[in-house]
Amino acid sequence: MKIQFQLTKFLFSTFYRKQTQPMMQVVLIIACFYLFIQLTIINAFVFFLGSTQDLLLYNLLISNILVFALICYLSISTVFNYYEFNALGSLPLSYEKIASAKLISSLCVPLGITMLLQLPTLLFLILDGKYFIATKLLMVLPIINVFTALMMLFVLSLINRYRYRFKNKLTYLILNTFTVLLMIAVVIAYFMSKSTLNITELFSQIDLSSLTKCKETLVLLLNYSQETFQGMPMINLIILTFMSEKITISFLLLVVFILVISTLLYHLIKRNISKNYLKNGASDNNQANTKKSKAYIAKGHWRNYLQRELWVINSDAYFKMQVVLTILLPSVISFIFLVAIQNGVIPDNLNITKKGIFDKYFSYLVLFLCCINNISGTPYSREGKYHFLIKSLPFDHYILYLSKVGFASFLNIIAVLISFLIYALFGYWNMESMVILLVITCLVICYNLLTPLFDMKNPSTDWTTPSQAIKSNPNVLVSLLFGMPIPVIITAIHFTLLWSGVSPLGSSCIVLSITLVTTMVLFILITNSIRNGPFVRL
């Protein structure tokens, strides 16, 4: 038992290390505080506008959704990763003990966060004199959350069991992502099939124009949730039993049933992880350390520098996964948006589908999706320990910078072209679409010209996992501050022209002229700064 505890503690401290950068610590604290305050405010609204059952139902839904999201995000980087293999694989430890420690450590953070967010609910229940329900919440909610997490992990563990059969990490990551999306789609489809209210009608009744309307919308959503769950016998039984103000036989039987199923899932997941632990660990680390790469020495510098960018991306499957997401995310969201428009899911009173306006909403949606999920913010941090080569070898920093900008812009332009191709297939293409396509392309280039500047001067190269170089890197937030102002200002100018009565085609031509001039000026300023200014001294 002591060995198991020490092993779990070791893996927990390895997976969830404290951020050493003060800026990242501040950002995480602000994000957690904002989430806590936001949920507290919503809890207050539910508490004063609805009943105790509404409050418990809301927290049950939110906590399970949060656990699901955290498990989706953390599972691949913790329980289904093998960073510990080189340290533990050769020790006289049972693979089942290692699997058990990995599983327990992966559940601690999601469970801890969801229970911490229940403090406002407990406070409201205590103030209302509902001491029994507050105690019941503390006892039952963790059991339901763990059950949700184990269900999710069990499905992913079936794929992980045969991890060694995948030729590369990218294929494995794509399959995991597809599985998660499929589970979300199945859950949404099941809820919609049991819903008694048309989803289009529900959206048309949502109004957030005033505080009174917000209250009415919240009450509407709570009533809709209750009506939907009443059509699901098993889920409705769990909810009613959970929200009852007394302990009944059915409540005890339900808790015992969930505990038994959770225990069974725990052992099945542990078995799936430990079954091929040696093969999976060896395969995962071999793929991470031995790369099949080719080098082509060309006469032109540009090709060699671009080849170097490909080498950096190919150095880790996580980086390649980000490239895939950079291309696919705008396209997939665009497709969903167009399907929603054609099926009347988005209410007409928003005037999104108005002629001459709809293509602007669509185009700028694609633009901001390209900006938010972009790899141009951390091109120097991705190089990690090999960043010293830039300082020690005679690199042309001008070409190096533009090669990174060009590579990121190339990916974004592919995403933009695919999105507009889908737009054309839905029958929305016209003459003005070509103008707005050029506007979005120029804005993407402007964004990518600005975002690497801070990372070039302050790269975060001291990372051990690739996610620390991209998603957990504070430079990502700084790059957004560098790159976002120009797209936001151009978008505001475009819609101001439209609302001022300028024709759609005329406003698009004016904005295209402004964007072309902005891009050229920005290119000249940045390239001159890199060649002659302070940016050249890395």
Side-chain angles (χ1 to χ4, degrees):
M1 189 67 183
K2 184 178 180 181
I3 294 176
Q4 186 70 61
F5 174 77
Q6 293 293 336
L7 189 58
T8 304
K9 182 180 177 182
F10 167 75
L11 291 175
F12 182 85
S13 61
T14 303
F15 292 144
Y16 307 110
R17 286 182 297 179
K18 181 182 178 181
Q19 289 290 338
T20 56
Q21 297 173 334
M23 183 178 180
M24 197 61 189
Q25 292 177 5
V26 172
V27 170
L28 288 173
I29 292 172
I30 293 174
C32 293
F33 181 74
Y34 172 76
L35 178 63
F36 183 80
I37 294 298
Q38 190 177 48
L39 291 178
T40 302
I41 293 172
I42 298 175
N43 266 290
F45 272 107
V46 176
F47 177 75
F48 290 109
L49 294 176
S51 61
T52 303
Q53 289 189 347
D54 292 331
L55 183 64
L56 293 176
L57 176 61
Y58 162 76
N59 278 275
L60 183 64
L61 289 174
I62 289 296
S63 62
N64 277 278
I65 291 172
L66 186 59
V67 165
F68 185 87
L70 288 171
I71 289 295
C72 289
Y73 181 77
L74 297 174
S75 62
I76 296 176
S77 61
T78 56
V79 66
F80 298 134
N81 212 322
Y82 294 91
Y83 289 115
E84 83 291 342
F85 178 77
N86 289 332
L88 302 179
S90 59
L91 298 179
L93 294 172
S94 168
Y95 292 152
E96 288 195 354
K97 288 185 179 295
I98 297 176
S100 179
K102 285 165 68 73
L103 184 54
I104 294 172
S105 62
S106 69
L107 292 173
C108 289
V109 168
L111 189 61
I113 292 175
T114 53
M115 292 310 298
L116 183 64
L117 295 175
Q118 299 307 313
L119 291 177
T121 308
L122 291 171
L123 179 61
F124 287 129
L125 290 173
I126 292 172
L127 290 175
D128 197 32
K130 307 287 186 179
Y131 305 109
F132 177 77
I133 296 180
T135 305
K136 194 175 179 181
L137 180 71
L138 282 175
M139 292 173 56
V140 179
L141 196 61
I143 298 174
I144 297 177
N145 288 340
V146 168
F147 175 74
T148 302
L150 290 174
M151 286 286 292
M152 176 73 187
L153 290 171
F154 172 70
V155 176
L156 294 177
S157 71
L158 295 174
I159 303 173
N160 178 76
R161 179 167 180 165
Y162 301 101
R163 167 71 184 87
Y164 67 94
R165 294 185 181 273
F166 291 87
K167 293 182 179 180
N168 54 64
K169 284 186 178 180
L170 182 60
T171 307
Y172 174 70
L173 291 173
I174 291 175
L175 182 58
N176 274 277
T177 304
F178 176 77
T179 304
V180 171
L181 294 176
L182 182 62
M183 283 190 285
I184 295 173
V186 169
V187 172
I188 293 174
Y190 177 71
F191 273 71
M192 292 183 66
S193 66
K194 298 295 182 179
S195 174
T196 57
L197 181 65
N198 186 280
I199 193 69
T200 305
E201 182 182 348
L202 176 66
F203 275 110
S204 64
Q205 296 179 25
I206 294 176
D207 190 351
L208 305 176
S209 58
S210 65
L211 183 60
T212 304
K213 295 295 183 182
C214 289
K215 292 179 181 179
E216 294 175 357
T217 299
L218 183 59
V219 173
L220 173 68
L221 292 175
L222 289 173
N223 293 334
Y224 170 70
S225 301
Q226 288 184 352
E227 292 177 7
T228 302
F229 288 125
Q230 286 175 1
M232 306 174 185
M234 186 61 188
I235 297 179
N236 189 44
L237 175 63
I238 294 174
I239 292 172
L240 291 176
T241 307
F242 171 66
M243 294 188 300
S244 64
E245 297 189 14
K246 58 182 179 179
I247 295 179
T248 61
I249 299 297
S250 59
F251 169 77
L252 294 175
L253 289 175
L254 182 62
V255 171
V256 171
F257 175 76
I258 294 176
L259 287 174
V260 170
I261 297 298
S262 299
T263 304
L264 179 62
L265 289 172
Y266 172 81
H267 286 289
L268 289 174
I269 296 168
K270 184 172 70 172
R271 179 173 176 79
N272 284 335
I273 296 173
S274 61
K275 179 66 176 178
N276 295 314
Y277 181 79
L278 179 61
K279 293 181 180 179
N280 290 336
S283 173
D284 187 81
N285 283 273
N286 285 337
Q287 289 181 17
N289 296 325
T290 59
K291 309 291 181 186
K292 294 181 179 179
S293 58
K294 297 179 180 179
Y296 300 97
I297 306 301
K299 293 182 179 179
H301 287 298
W302 284 103
R303 183 173 177 179
N304 292 333
Y305 278 87
L306 288 172
Q307 178 183 264
R308 186 176 184 277
E309 291 308 304
L310 289 175
W311 170 74
V312 173
I313 293 296
N314 284 323
S315 64
D316 198 281
Y318 190 86
F319 297 157
K320 291 188 281 187
M321 186 66 178
Q322 292 300 314
V323 169
V324 173
L325 290 176
T326 299
I327 296 174
L328 291 184
L329 184 64
S331 310
V332 172
I333 300 298
S334 301
F335 178 78
I336 295 172
F337 178 68
L338 293 171
V339 169
I341 290 292
Q342 288 205 343
N343 286 277
V345 174
I346 298 178
D348 296 333
N349 56 7
L350 294 178
N351 291 326
I352 290 178
T353 57
K354 185 179 178 181
K355 187 176 181 181
I357 300 291
F358 175 66
D359 59 338
K360 312 302 184 302
Y361 280 106
F362 174 81
S363 302
Y364 289 112
L365 170 68
V366 173
L367 169 65
F368 288 112
L369 285 172
C370 289
C371 293
I372 291 171
N373 190 59
N374 203 342
I375 64 171
S376 64
T378 54
Y380 291 88
S381 296
R382 282 197 303 270
E383 301 196 10
K385 61 184 179 181
Y386 298 107
H387 183 262
F388 73 92
L389 293 173
I390 297 177
K391 297 181 178 181
S392 59
L393 295 180
F395 281 101
D396 187 325
H397 297 291
Y398 164 75
I399 300 179
L400 179 66
Y401 187 86
L402 290 185
S403 66
K404 293 181 181 296
V405 172
F407 184 78
S409 300
F410 176 72
L411 297 176
N412 287 144
I413 291 171
I414 291 176
V416 170
L417 291 176
I418 294 174
S419 300
F420 272 84
L421 176 61
I422 297 171
Y423 178 79
L425 292 175
F426 273 80
Y428 293 108
W429 185 266
N430 52 42
M431 182 64 68
E432 189 185 347
S433 301
M434 179 57 70
V435 179
I436 196 69
L437 173 61
L438 293 175
V439 171
I440 300 304
T441 302
C442 290
L443 288 177
V444 161
I445 295 172
C446 285
Y447 179 84
N448 290 329
L449 278 168
L450 289 167
T451 48
L453 288 175
F454 184 81
D455 193 63
M456 179 173 65
K457 291 294 293 180
N458 304 279
S460 178
T461 57
D462 187 19
W463 49 265
T464 53
T465 60
S467 63
Q468 293 174 350
I470 300 179
K471 294 300 181 184
S472 301
N473 190 343
N475 292 3
V476 173
L477 298 175
V478 180
S479 70
L480 286 174
L481 296 177
F482 270 65
M484 273 298 187
I486 289 180
V488 170
I489 292 171
I490 297 295
T491 304
I493 292 173
H494 202 161
F495 280 98
T496 301
L497 291 172
L498 288 171
W499 294 332
S500 300
V502 181
S503 66
L505 181 59
S507 64
S508 297
C509 292
I510 293 172
V511 170
L512 177 60
S513 302
I514 296 172
T515 307
L516 286 172
V517 172
T518 303
T519 305
M520 288 188 290
V521 170
L522 197 62
F523 180 83
I524 293 170
L525 290 175
I526 291 177
T527 51
N528 286 338
S529 296
I530 293 175
R531 279 174 166 170
N532 307 313
F535 284 112
V536 76
R537 296 189 296 272
L538 295 176

